[in-house]
Amino acid sequence: PNKLGGVIDLVMSIAILFLMPLLHTNETRGLQFYPLNQILFWYMVIMILLLTWIGARPVEAPYIITGQILTILYFSYYIINPLIIKLWDNMLNS
């Protein structure tokens, strides 16, 4: 419902996609070596589909909180994903 918050979320969701290649510092390049990140990838696909669906809904009571929760989950992916990659690399190098 907050227009400024929506604009900031939109800009951040695009900006984070441009920053991802710069932040990608893991030892291997493919997700086939990171099974937990494969699960997180499908989590991200589901989040994008649900956010697309919720964006088409009217701004009403159940959809507002659902959109806010999905937005938090969307951005949490970009925090959790690199942490799990580092954890997995440390486990493999030990």
Side-chain angles (χ1 to χ4, degrees), residues 30-48:
L31 279 181
Q32 66 268 25
F33 300 111
Y34 300 104
L36 292 175
N37 293 79
Q38 291 175 357
I39 294 168
L40 278 177
F41 169 79
W42 290 109
Y43 160 85
M44 183 63 169
V45 169
I46 291 169
M47 285 302 109
I48 291 171

Side-chain angles (χ1 to χ4, degrees), residues 54-74:
I54 207 74
R57 301 288 128 218
V59 182
E60 294 177 354
Y63 302 123
I64 294 171
I65 190 70
T66 305
Q68 291 171 345
I69 291 170
L70 289 173
T71 301
I72 291 169
L73 292 174
Y74 172 84

Side-chain angles (χ1 to χ4, degrees), residues 4-45:
L4 180 60
V7 170
I8 291 172
D9 285 346
L10 178 66
V11 170
M12 288 301 295
S13 66
I14 301 299
I16 203 163
L17 295 176
F18 285 112
L19 291 175
M20 285 303 290
L22 302 174
L23 300 174
H24 187 75
T25 59
N26 53 339
E27 294 177 11
T28 57
R29 294 295 175 187
L31 279 181
Q32 66 268 25
F33 300 111
Y34 300 104
L36 292 175
N37 293 79
Q38 291 175 357
I39 294 168
L40 278 177
F41 169 79
W42 290 109
Y43 160 85
M44 183 63 169
V45 169

